[in-house]
Amino acid sequence: MPESFPLANTEKRSYQTNIAHACYGKNSLLVLPTGLGKTIICALVANKHLENDERILLLAPTRPLVEQHAHTFKEKLTNANLTTLTGQTSPKERANQWAKTDITIATPHATHNDIKANRFDPDAYDLVIIDEAHHATGDHPLVHVANAFHDANASILAATASPGDTPEQIQTIIQNLQIQHVEARGEWDDDVAPHIAPVDIEWARVTLPKTLDQAANELDKIARHHVEKLRSMGLYTSRFVKRSELLTLRDSLEDPSNPHAYRHIGNALRCLHGVKLIQTQSTQAARRYLTSLEDTPGIGDHPSFTHAKHRLESYMGEHPKMRRLATTLRERFAEGEAQRTLIFVQTRETAHVLENALNDSTSLEVGLFVGQSGDDGLTPEEQQERVQGLREGRYDALVATSIGEEGLDLPDVDLVVFYEPVPSGVRAIQRRGRTGRQGPGRVLVMITRGTSDEAAYWASSKREQRMRRIIKSLQEEADPETCPVRPNPSAMKTSQSKETPCVLMDHREANGPLARALRREGLTLETSTVPIGSLVISPRIVVEHLAVEDLEGEKEEAFQQRIDRLKRRFPSPILVIDTPEDVPRLPDNQSRYETVAAVEGVPVLWVQGTQQAAGSIVRIAEREHALHGSPGVQHATGGRSLAEKQRYLMEALPNVSKRLASRLLECFGTPREVFTASEDALRRVRGIGPTTATAIREVLDAKSESAWRTETSPCIQAPASTTHSGTGTRKSASSRWHATTP
């Protein structure tokens, strides 16, 4: 086998060549984050087969993906003959085209149909490349096609960014595709890390207005009514009313002649969908949906339905997510922090409303990017036009449903917005992979407090971490003599017996040698902007990792200030000072540093090399985790300066970012003046429009649900008067916590 598989017009990356060599000649599963060149690796393997005069079949799930792969393979394999076959090609024409060219690129459905109809012989192909291999479950055509080519002794190369959320899903794919070998790479691998740009993840949390919350509760009552009917039939046993449980029950019913059970399941599911629209999606979409349910028996005639519809119609305006997103996009485009933006939504109803709302409330050009089905769907040509429009700058942003999550060659974007979290780790990885390909990227996750958004976020995060551990364990636990899965020597060490701690690391160090060493040691890293220190272990502990060169020439006063800054933010800071492995060299004034640190009660750990530093940090994190449970990574507030406390107070207002908080204080002088400012006065601050001004006054003026009650008041003495903001002379003090997760 040659030393390399050369391709035309391709940057040479060692990990791609290494993976191609490892996958050649055996059924392999390739797991690689989006943007790191899965297609290039597939082309490298294909090129080797072409050198041996062997034919290749590439399967892609959709017609646009087929065309995209055809374009890439023509560019990289310039001497190969290539044809594309999809459902739009007539069966007769497909029969004439099979096996007449070097490379055939087709959809699984067309291939499966032609195999069943004996339109071609699978024995004519020596390599089958499967894109988006995580679809190879259940009765998907990929499973049947893989079996046919396995019988024909063709090699299979399956590629995906995310094979599944559970061990069962991943093992199912491995079994269905008869995988012999797994190759996985990620940011923890030394040969991949230089090609991964940092991605900063932010969370925007909004509060559901009381009127919308009441409307959702009325619909929830109807759903519970129908679930109680199912319980009385002995069909529903779960304590909770969950969509997944209802779907499982519907699929398990063996007697289709029981119309009452099916009706109760259907009505409960319809009401839960309405709850989701109200709580997490769009007020306008929810109104339309409730109108469509008016004539549905068991829903439209239920007393709670009238209450829900009345409360929904009485609410003026849109979901607070839309207001928050419009404000955020206006600010980021104005400041140059965002250019191309991709906004992911769950439902097509929300996509239409959001597209119109953003076009109406911002100066941005926003387009819609949805699938082909339905009267409002986009043809493949229209989809490509939207993608090209985003690439060329004719669109500033696209609002996309799941069609934008995988496969299509979307341009690298500056900002990816999750309009709501998705519970699937697979889908979360696919969405995030749309940014940070060519340079630093940003992800904004929008969450409505106290709704299914929060549950979905946590489910996605845990499933994603579990998926990565499974993939790594597949490589690490393999015996090369007895198991077909080759260990990856640079993969991260994992522990199957316990959960690894999660710490917050500054995004500027997320791809550095310390981060890679920590991941190899099994530490889970969340990246964000850390205001001080290198990484935050818990609300108590921050670690400042320094190279010994960083202290060269630093005066004792400067070192003292460094420690003071750490102690103002965290009760128990730790210094980890890294000396060279080959030439141990301590700073001249080491004893002075240690004296200052000892007096201040700050431990100093002297280590040799990044790997030793990582080991010490992991042991600190594990000890903290064991003693205090699984602490969220939070920043203490006690040591903040007055200016910081005022700014954080401003940031608690709707749609107010750090930049806007500073502007408010500059314009009004004190938080009191901000709180008493009128809408017109607020709108005079650059970056605050009518929507944000109204939202701020709504929060400040609305009476709290737990406001002073006659008999159970928490106040020592009832206030004699109230301020303009309606909060009274008594103010509550609360800390604003910043966490790695919402």
Side-chain angles (χ1 to χ4, degrees):
M1 190 162 52
E3 289 298 321
S4 62
F5 302 159
L7 291 181
N9 309 309
T10 304
E11 171 196 1
K12 186 176 181 179
R13 295 184 178 181
S14 60
Y15 71 88
Q16 293 176 339
T17 305
N18 294 338
I19 292 173
H21 276 281
C23 293
Y24 178 76
K26 58 181 77 74
N27 289 357
S28 301
L29 174 63
L30 168 60
V31 182
L32 195 68
T34 303
L36 287 179
K38 291 187 295 296
T39 305
I40 298 300
I41 295 171
C42 293
L44 287 167
V45 176
N47 195 33
K48 177 57 183 173
H49 282 270
L50 291 175
E51 290 177 1
N52 297 331
D53 295 324
E54 296 174 340
R55 289 195 174 100
I56 296 133
L57 170 63
L58 193 159
L59 298 174
T62 64
R63 179 187 162 198
L65 268 176
V66 166
E67 299 298 332
Q68 176 183 308
H69 283 304
H71 174 79
T72 302
F73 270 55
K74 286 177 182 177
E75 179 185 11
K76 305 300 180 184
L77 304 173
T78 54
N79 296 324
N81 297 319
L82 185 149
T83 189
T84 59
L85 300 176
T86 67
Q88 291 200 337
T89 311
S90 69
K92 182 177 180 180
E93 186 177 351
R94 292 204 303 268
N96 293 329
Q97 291 295 322
W98 280 109
K100 287 189 176 181
T101 55
D102 299 324
I103 302 175
T104 302
I105 304 180
T107 59
H109 290 80
T111 305
H112 183 216
N113 291 336
D114 288 353
I115 289 175
K116 289 192 298 183
N118 295 317
R119 296 192 182 101
F120 78 100
D121 183 6
D123 285 327
Y125 290 88
D126 300 280
L127 172 66
V128 179
I129 299 172
I130 298 176
D131 188 29
E132 308 297 351
H134 53 274
H135 292 299
T137 59
D139 198 39
H140 196 281
L142 276 177
V143 179
H144 302 290
V145 171
N147 287 333
F149 281 97
H150 180 75
D151 293 340
N153 294 317
S155 296
I156 290 177
L157 175 57
T160 179
S162 41
D165 292 330
T166 66
E168 293 75 20
Q169 290 174 344
I170 296 173
Q171 287 296 339
T172 295
I173 292 170
I174 290 174
Q175 292 171 6
N176 287 344
L177 300 181
Q178 302 188 50
I179 296 298
Q180 303 167 315
H181 172 84
V182 175
E183 278 287 330
R185 291 290 192 277
E187 67 274 10
W188 55 84
D189 290 294
D190 293 334
D191 54 351
V192 173
H195 304 281
I196 296 181
V199 175
D200 191 15
I201 302 178
E202 306 170 37
W203 296 271
R205 305 186 73 190
V206 301
T207 300
L208 193 68
K210 185 176 180 179
T211 302
L212 294 183
D213 189 41
Q214 291 172 337
N217 288 338
E218 294 293 344
L219 275 186
D220 188 63
K221 289 178 184 178
I222 307 176
R224 293 179 181 278
H225 165 76
H226 289 286
V227 167
E228 287 302 322
K229 294 292 185 181
L230 293 169
R231 283 199 179 100
S232 67
M233 299 177 184
L235 297 174
Y236 195 91
T237 57
S238 173
R239 290 189 302 143
F240 306 102
V241 178
K242 298 174 63 177
R243 180 175 180 272
S244 58
E245 297 280 354
L246 290 165
L247 290 173
T248 300
L249 174 60
R250 186 183 65 183
D251 295 340
S252 66
L253 286 180
E254 298 178 358
D255 184 9
S257 64
N258 187 348
H260 298 296
Y262 280 100
R263 180 169 63 86
H264 290 307
I265 293 172
N267 282 347
L269 288 170
R270 293 183 186 98
C271 291
L272 291 180
H273 181 65
V275 170
K276 184 177 182 65
L277 286 176
I278 295 171
Q279 290 183 335
T280 71
Q281 299 292 305
S282 158
T283 306
Q284 183 177 334
R287 290 193 190 102
R288 293 174 181 170
Y289 184 70
L290 261 62
T291 299
S292 71
L293 296 180
E294 285 180 333
D295 297 327
T296 303
I299 296 179
D301 52 1
H302 194 284
S304 290
F305 183 80
T306 303
H307 298 317
K309 201 164 185 301
H310 172 73
R311 294 186 184 282
L312 193 59
E313 290 174 348
S314 68
Y315 180 76
M316 304 300 294
E318 255 300 346
H319 195 285
K321 277 186 184 179
M322 291 198 179
R323 299 197 300 267
R324 178 72 170 269
L325 181 56
T327 301
T328 299
L329 293 182
R330 279 197 300 267
E331 290 177 0
R332 297 203 173 188
F333 274 84
E335 298 292 336
E337 293 181 357
Q339 294 177 357
R340 298 191 187 104
T341 297
L342 192 58
I343 305 165
F344 284 106
V345 299
Q346 286 281 75
T347 67
R348 192 175 289 188
E349 307 107 292
T350 302
H352 283 284
V353 175
L354 186 56
E355 178 211 11
N356 294 331
L358 292 178
N359 278 318
D360 291 343
S361 61
T362 70
S363 59
L364 307 179
E365 191 65 36
V366 181
L368 191 67
F369 190 62
V370 298
Q372 301 178 44
S373 62
D375 297 335
D376 56 349
L378 299 179
T379 65
E381 292 74 21
E382 289 173 325
Q383 291 174 356
Q384 291 294 344
E385 183 276 329
R386 303 293 165 87
V387 171
Q388 193 63 24
L390 185 64
R391 182 177 288 110
E392 295 174 352
R394 288 183 280 112
Y395 290 109
D396 299 302
L398 292 181
V399 180
T401 53
S402 58
I403 187 69
E405 290 177 355
E406 64 181 28
L408 283 175
D409 188 20
L410 290 164
D412 188 44
V413 297
D414 302 280
L415 174 65
V416 166
V417 177
F418 288 43
Y419 187 74
E420 68 286 287
V422 286
S424 166
V426 172
R427 296 180 65 192
I429 291 173
Q430 298 280 10
R431 288 183 175 192
R432 279 203 317 273
R434 294 306 181 182
T435 188
R437 296 189 179 190
Q438 305 300 325
R442 290 180 177 273
V443 173
L444 176 66
V445 184
M446 308 197 74
I447 297 174
T448 307
R449 293 183 177 91
T451 69
S452 59
D453 278 354
E454 293 188 328
Y457 172 80
W458 288 110
S460 169
S461 179
K462 289 183 178 297
R463 288 170 180 170
E464 184 178 335
Q465 292 180 24
R466 183 170 60 223
M467 179 188 71
R468 290 180 175 177
R469 288 198 300 271
I470 295 165
I471 290 296
K472 295 185 192 82
S473 67
L474 282 174
Q475 294 182 305
E476 292 173 357
E477 296 176 1
D479 181 349
E481 298 297 326
T482 60
C483 179
V485 180
R486 184 179 69 86
N488 179 0
S490 63
M492 184 203 311
K493 297 177 183 178
T494 60
S495 171
Q496 301 302 316
S497 61
K498 60 181 179 180
E499 291 288 327
T500 57
C502 177
V503 303
L504 177 65
M505 187 170 209
D506 193 278
H507 66 85
R508 289 161 292 192
E509 301 184 36
N511 290 320
L514 178 62
R516 294 196 294 273
L518 288 170
R519 292 187 180 101
R520 282 195 295 268
E521 290 290 334
L523 205 61
T524 301
L525 299 182
E526 293 279 355
T527 58
S528 186
T529 300
V530 175
I532 192 166
S534 303
L535 45 85
V536 181
I537 302 294
S538 74
R540 301 188 319 116
I541 298 177
V542 62
V543 172
E544 175 83 284
H545 175 247
L546 299 168
V548 70
E549 293 85 356
D550 296 333
L551 295 177
E552 291 292 342
E554 183 172 84
K555 295 182 179 180
E556 184 175 323
E557 294 80 4
F559 186 74
Q560 176 74 59
Q561 291 173 2
R562 182 193 294 274
I563 290 181
D564 288 343
R565 287 195 300 270
L566 292 168
K567 291 189 67 176
R568 279 201 301 268
R569 296 291 186 113
F570 294 87
S572 304
I574 298 173
L575 289 179
V576 176
I577 303 178
D578 195 342
T579 63
E581 294 182 37
D582 49 353
V583 184
R585 177 166 56 89
L586 300 179
D588 296 335
N589 48 356
Q590 173 195 357
S591 60
R592 289 189 177 182
Y593 294 146
E594 292 180 339
T595 300
V596 171
V599 170
E600 296 293 336
V602 176
V604 178
L605 302 181
W606 297 89
V607 297
Q608 285 187 289
T610 303
Q611 196 59 50
Q612 193 177 107
S616 298
I617 291 170
V618 168
R619 286 190 290 275
I620 292 170
E622 289 176 343
R623 182 64 174 169
E624 177 74 358
H625 185 93
L627 290 176
H628 302 286
S630 179
V633 182
Q634 302 170 329
H635 300 167
T637 59
R640 287 182 179 145
S641 66
L642 177 61
E644 288 175 318
K645 292 177 181 178
Q646 289 178 323
R647 193 183 76 240
Y648 283 122
L649 192 59
M650 294 299 97
E651 288 182 50
L653 295 172
N655 306 336
V656 174
S657 62
K658 290 183 179 179
R659 185 175 289 103
L660 270 182
S662 298
R663 289 179 190 163
L664 282 167
L665 291 171
E666 289 172 8
C667 290
F668 292 100
T670 67
R672 180 188 295 275
E673 294 299 322
V674 176
F675 289 168
T676 58
S678 65
E679 285 191 30
D680 289 339
L682 290 170
R683 289 173 60 180
R684 286 196 283 270
V685 177
R686 182 164 58 90
I688 294 185
T691 301
T692 298
T694 301
I696 291 174
R697 286 262 47 97
E698 179 183 3
V699 167
L700 295 175
D701 293 338
K703 189 173 183 179
S704 169
E705 294 179 19
S706 58
W708 305 293
R709 298 182 174 90
T710 304
E711 296 180 358
T712 61
S713 171
C715 302
I716 297 175
Q717 184 176 355
S721 62
T722 60
T723 66
H724 172 75
S725 63
T727 58
T729 57
R730 179 181 180 272
K731 293 180 172 62
S732 62
S734 62
S735 298
R736 177 175 170 83
W737 293 90
H738 278 233
T740 60
T741 52

